[in-house]
C-alpha cells in the first residue's frame, strides 16, 4: 500500500511539481487536471473504497478551508480537523497543500464542465440548455465552497489554472458555442452570441454560491435553503430560455 502511495505521489508531483518557498504556485497543466479532477468513482483494483472515502473527505474539507481562508491562510491542520482525518493522511494522499489546492480547483472545474456533454448538435436546444443550467445551479447549492475557491483564484489572476482556461476551457466553449450557433442557423432558437451565452449562464448560476451572503441578506434569510435555490433555479432557467427564444 505504501509503495502504491509513493508511486502515486511521484506521478502527481511530476505533473504538478511542488513549488519551493521562493516560487509562486505552479500552474495546472492538462495532464494535471485529468489526474487531479478525478472525483471518487467506482472502486478499482488500485484504489479501494477507504481511499476513495478519505480523498472525498479531504477534498470537501479543503474546499471549505480554502474558501474561507484563501490559499495563504489555509493550513493542513485546519483541513485535517475539517475532514476528521489525521494530518498525515493529507500528506499521504496529496503530498502538500499546494497539490491539494490544485486538486480542489481541478475537481470543481471538471464538475462544472461535465454537464456540457449534453449540449450536442442533435439535442433539443431547450432541453439541453435547461439541463445544463439546472446542473450548474445544483452545484452552486451543493458545492458553494468549491465555487468560492475558484472565484478567488480568478480574482488573483488565475495563477494556477490560467493555462487550462486558455486551452481546455477555451476549446470546450468554442466547441459548444459552435453547437449553439448551428441551432441558431437551423432556426431552432433565437439569434444570440453563443460564447457570451455561456458567460451569462456561469454568472447567473455561480452568483448564488459566490455571493450567497449578499443574496440571502437581500432576501432576509440567514442562509440560502432548498426553497431559495428552487425559486432561483426556476427564475434563471426561465430568464435564459426566454432570451434564447425557447
Amino acid at each position: 500500500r505504501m509503495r502504491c502511495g509513493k508511486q502515486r505521489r511521484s506521478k502527481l508531483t511530476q505533473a504538478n511539481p511542488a513549488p519551493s518557498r521562493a516560487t509562486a504556485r505552479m500552474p495546472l497543466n492538462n495532464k494535471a487536471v485529468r489526474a487531479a479532477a478525478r472525483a471518487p468513482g467506482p472502486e478499482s483494483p488500485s484504489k479501494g473504497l477507504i481511499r476513495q472515502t478519505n480523498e472525498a473527505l479531504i477534498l470537501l474539507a479543503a474546499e471549505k478551508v480554502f474558501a474561507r481562508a484563501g490559499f495563504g491562510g489555509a493550513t493542513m491542520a485546519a483541513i485535517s480537523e475539517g475532514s476528521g482525518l489525521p494530518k498525515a493522511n493529507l500528506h499521504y494522499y496529496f503530498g502538500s497543500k499546494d497539490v491539494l489546492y490544485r486538486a480542489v480547483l481541478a475537481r470543481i472545474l471538471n464538475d462544472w464542465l461535465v454537464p456540457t456533454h449534453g449540449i450536442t448538435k442533435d439535442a433539443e436546444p431547450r432541453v439541453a440548455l435547461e439541463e445544463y443550467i439546472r446542473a450548474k445551479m445544483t452545484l452552486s447549492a451543493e458545492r458553494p465552497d468549491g465555487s468560492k475557491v475558484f472565484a478567488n483564484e480568478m480574482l488573483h489572476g488565475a495563477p494556477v489554472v490560467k493555462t487550462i482556461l486558455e486551452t481546455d476551457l477555451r476549446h470546450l466553449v468554442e466547441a459548444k458555442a459552435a453547437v449553439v450557433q448551428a441551432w441558431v442557423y437551423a432556426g431552432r432558437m433565437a439569434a444570440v452570441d453563443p460564447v457570451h451565452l455561456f458567460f451569462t449562464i456561469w454568472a447567473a448560476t455561480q452568483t448564488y454560491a459566490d455571493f450567497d451572503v449578499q443574496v440571502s441578506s437581500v432576501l432576509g434569510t440567514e442562509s440560502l435553503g432548498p426553497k431559495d435555490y428552487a425559486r432561483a433555479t426556476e427564475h434563471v432557467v426561465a430568464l435564459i430560455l426566454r432570451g434564447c427564444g425557447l
Side-chain angles (χ1 to χ4, degrees):
R1 179 183 175 85
M2 289 300 293
R3 185 178 180 184
C4 177
K6 290 179 181 177
Q7 290 176 341
R8 180 180 183 276
R9 288 203 304 274
S10 176
K11 187 174 182 180
L12 182 58
T13 302
Q14 290 173 7
N16 298 290
S20 65
R21 293 175 182 270
T23 60
R25 281 170 274 153
M26 298 295 289
L28 279 169
N29 54 43
N30 299 358
K31 184 178 179 181
V33 166
R34 288 193 291 271
R38 293 191 189 106
E43 185 175 0
S44 64
S46 63
K47 190 172 185 180
L49 183 59
I50 293 178
R51 186 186 193 98
Q52 293 177 40
T53 301
N54 287 348
E55 288 187 350
L57 289 171
I58 292 169
L59 286 168
L60 286 174
E63 281 186 2
K64 183 174 182 178
V65 173
F66 284 130
R68 287 157 176 71
F71 179 82
T75 65
M76 294 296 263
I79 297 171
S80 170
E81 182 179 356
S83 69
L85 296 170
K87 188 163 69 171
N89 282 42
L90 276 63
H91 290 286
Y92 175 74
Y93 292 121
F94 293 96
S96 69
K97 184 176 79 167
D98 180 79
V99 172
L100 179 53
Y101 175 72
R102 282 176 273 161
V104 167
L105 286 172
R107 187 176 183 227
I108 188 62
L109 181 57
N110 179 76
D111 291 346
W112 278 342
L113 299 184
V114 168
T116 65
H117 295 344
I119 300 175
T120 62
K121 185 177 180 180
D122 296 328
E124 177 60 40
R126 180 185 180 88
V127 173
L129 290 176
E130 179 174 351
E131 288 181 348
Y132 177 54
I133 296 167
R134 289 186 183 279
K136 289 287 279 91
M137 286 296 293
T138 297
L139 281 168
S140 288
E142 297 179 352
R143 302 271 299 287
D145 290 323
S147 183
K148 290 174 183 176
V149 175
F150 195 85
N152 193 46
E153 170 76 5
M154 297 300 100
L155 290 173
H156 286 82
V160 173
V161 300
K162 184 75 177 292
T163 300
I164 293 300
L165 302 182
E166 295 174 338
T167 54
D168 284 12
L169 181 60
R170 181 179 179 182
H171 297 157
L172 176 68
V173 171
E174 288 176 343
K176 298 305 177 180
V179 171
V180 174
Q181 190 64 66
W183 289 342
V184 172
Y185 287 152
R188 302 175 67 189
M189 62 177 286
V192 298
D193 184 310
V195 173
H196 284 270
L197 172 61
F198 284 98
F199 295 158
T200 300
I201 292 174
W202 297 347
T205 56
Q206 289 163 224
T207 192
Y208 290 97
D210 302 339
F211 295 95
D212 57 345
V213 173
Q214 173 181 277
V215 175
S216 59
S217 295
V218 173
L219 292 177
T221 61
E222 185 174 344
S223 61
L224 298 179
K227 290 184 178 180
D228 298 310
Y229 269 103
R231 175 186 173 189
T233 298
E234 297 309 315
H235 166 73
V236 173
V237 167
L239 183 66
I240 294 177
L241 291 185
R242 279 200 301 269
C244 293
L246 300 171

